[in-house]
Amino acid sequence: MTTLTQRRAGTCTLLLVGILLIAANLRAPITGLPPLLGAIRSDLALGTTAAGALTTLPLLAFALLSPFSAWFARAWGLERALFGAMAAIAAGIAIRSTGSYWCLYLGTWIIGMGIAVGNVLLPSLVKRDFPHNVTAVTGAYALAMGVAATLGSAAMAPLAQAWGWHAALLGFLVLPAAALAAWAPQLGSQTRPAAGAAAAPKGEPVWRSALAWQVTGFLGLNSTIYYVAIGWLPTMLTDSGMSATRAGFLHGVLQLATAVPGLLLGPIVRRMQDQRAAAATVALCSAIALAGLAWAPQLALLWSILFGVGTGAGMILGLAFIGLRTANAHQAAALSGMAQCIGYLLAAAGPMAMGALHDALGGWRVPLALCTALALLAALIGARAGRARRIGADAQEI
C-alpha cells in the first residue's frame, strides 16, 4: 500500500514538474527579446516599427491560433498537443537565432504558435489533474512563468555582450529542451481537454452583451499596455541614458512583479461582493506607473514594480471575470474565446503603433502618455465589468 502511494506521489510530482517547465516557456522566449532590440536593430538596420513587429507577431499568433488549440487536443490528446507545442517553441528559437532577417520573424511567429497552444491547453490540464488545487497549481505555474521571464530578460544583455545576440537568443533553447525531457513520460496518455476547454459552441449571445464587451475591453486594454511595456521598456530606458544591463534587469523585475498578485489576489477576489474597486485600482496603478516612466524615469525601479503588479492583477481579475460573469461552462468558453481573440488583436496593435508614434515624434513621452490614457480607460471599463452581474441576466444584450 505504501509502495502504491509512493508511486502515485512520484507520478504526481513528475507531472507537476512537467507543468512548471512548460509554463516557463509560455513567456520568456518572447519577453526575453526586447533587451536585445537595440543590438538587433543596429545589426539588421531595423526601424522602430519593424522592431515592434517582433512583439506583435506572437500576439497575432495567440489571437489566430488559440481557437484551434482545443482541436489539437481532441485530435492528439492533451499530452501530445503540449509536447508538440514545446517542440514548436524549440524549432522557433533555433530558426530565430540564425541571424537572418526573415528567420528572425519566421522563428518568432513559430514560437508564438507554440505558446498559443500551451496557453490554452495548460489550464485545462491543471483543471483535469489537480481539480482540488487549481488555484495553488495555477499560482505556481504563473510564478514559474514570471521567474523564467525575469531570469531570461536579466541574462540577455550580458550574454549578448559576451557572445552576440544570436547566441543569447539561442540560449532560450534550454527551456523547451528541459520541458520536452520532463514531459516525454506523459506521452503514453492521450486524453482530451477538461470539460469546457473546447472551442465555444456556436450561437452563444456573448457578442451581443454589453457586459461581455466590458470584460473584453478590460482584458484587451490591460494586455495592450502590458505588451507595449514589455516590448519597449528596455529601449525607453536606454534612450534615457540607462545601461543595457540595468534596463534588462528592470525589464525582468517588471515581469517578476506580474506574478506577485497571483499569490495573493485569488483568495481576496473570492471574498468580494463585487470587483469594481479592485479593477479600477489595479488599472490606476498601471496608469501611475506609465506616467512615472514618462516624467520621472530616474525612478524606473519603482514604476517597473508598480506596473508589473498592476497589469498582473489586471490579468488575474480579467480572467476571473470570465467565470464570474457567466452562468455556465459553455457561456464561459464563449466569453473566453471572444476576450482572447479581441484582446490579443488589440495587444498586437499596441507595440507597432507606439513604435511608429515614437518614430514620428522622436521620443517616448507621447506614446507613454497615450498608454496612460488607455490605462485610465481600463479603470473606467473595469469598474463596469466588476459589477456583480451575469451575462443575459440583466437586460444588457445589445
Side-chain angles (χ1 to χ4, degrees):
M1 197 71 168
T2 303
T3 304
L4 181 59
T5 303
Q6 289 174 341
R7 221 177 260 167
R8 286 175 176 168
T11 301
C12 186
T13 300
L14 184 61
L15 178 62
L16 183 59
V17 169
I19 288 171
L20 296 180
L21 286 172
I22 288 174
N25 285 270
L26 300 184
R27 186 179 292 170
I30 297 302
T31 60
L33 179 66
L36 302 179
L37 276 182
I40 294 171
R41 288 171 62 194
S42 176
D43 196 13
L44 299 180
L46 299 180
T48 309
T49 304
L54 292 170
T55 303
T56 294
L57 277 176
L59 302 179
L60 287 174
F62 295 170
L64 298 177
L65 197 65
S66 292
F68 300 98
S69 297
W71 180 87
F72 296 142
R74 288 195 301 272
W76 302 325
L78 267 173
E79 292 79 5
R80 295 179 187 180
L82 284 167
F83 190 87
M86 294 301 102
I89 292 171
I93 290 171
I95 292 170
R96 183 179 68 175
S97 306
T98 61
S100 161
Y101 177 90
W102 289 109
C103 285
L104 180 66
Y105 286 90
L106 176 62
T108 299
W109 174 260
I110 294 172
I111 291 169
M113 292 172 65
I115 293 176
V117 174
N119 275 335
V120 172
L121 297 186
L122 195 58
S124 177
L125 186 84
V126 171
K127 181 178 180 179
R128 186 198 70 189
D129 291 337
F130 298 92
H132 304 298
N133 294 286
V134 171
T135 302
V137 176
T138 301
Y141 89 62
L143 186 61
M145 289 169 62
V147 170
T150 298
L151 294 176
S153 293
M156 283 300 97
L159 287 176
Q161 288 172 2
W163 294 307
W165 64 265
H166 312 84
L169 287 179
L170 189 62
F172 280 112
L173 199 57
V174 171
L175 293 175
L180 288 167
W183 200 246
Q186 309 298 332
L187 296 182
S189 303
Q190 186 175 351
T191 53
R192 295 185 177 187
K202 296 179 181 178
E204 291 292 334
V206 295
W207 291 85
R208 301 195 309 272
S209 167
L211 182 55
W213 280 103
Q214 289 156 11
V215 172
T216 298
F218 180 74
L219 266 172
L221 290 171
N222 187 76
S223 296
T224 300
I225 59 175
Y226 171 76
Y227 281 105
V228 168
I230 285 296
W232 291 120
L233 181 67
T235 303
M236 292 176 190
L237 296 178
T238 53
D239 285 355
S240 70
M242 188 177 290
S243 71
T245 300
R246 176 69 174 171
F249 169 74
L250 291 180
H251 190 253
V253 167
L254 186 156
Q255 294 174 80
L256 185 59
T258 64
V260 173
L263 304 175
L264 307 171
L265 197 59
I268 296 173
V269 169
R270 284 197 296 271
R271 293 187 179 94
M272 292 178 173
Q273 290 185 344
D274 64 49
Q275 298 78 38
R276 291 176 296 177
T281 299
V282 299
L284 287 173
C285 287
S286 299
I288 292 168
L290 289 164
L293 286 169
W295 281 279
Q298 67 275 16
L299 300 176
L301 176 60
L302 172 61
W303 308 134
S304 297
I305 294 171
L306 185 62
F307 184 83
V309 170
T311 53
M315 180 60 67
I316 292 169
L317 281 171
L319 293 174
F321 288 162
I322 292 173
L324 292 170
R325 302 295 168 256
T326 52
N328 53 60
H330 291 310
Q331 199 176 63
L335 179 56
S336 179
M338 172 184 173
Q340 190 160 217
C341 179
I342 300 298
Y344 279 128
L345 286 175
L346 283 174
M352 286 189 68
M354 296 307 158
L357 197 56
H358 168 271
D359 284 351
L361 301 176
W364 289 109
R365 185 163 287 182
V366 172
L368 282 169
L370 182 56
C371 286
T372 302
L374 293 178
L376 292 173
L377 179 59
L380 293 174
I381 294 175
R384 300 287 292 173
R387 294 172 298 161
R389 299 184 180 185
R390 287 184 174 177
I391 293 170
D394 58 351
Q396 285 209 72
E397 305 308 312
I398 57 175

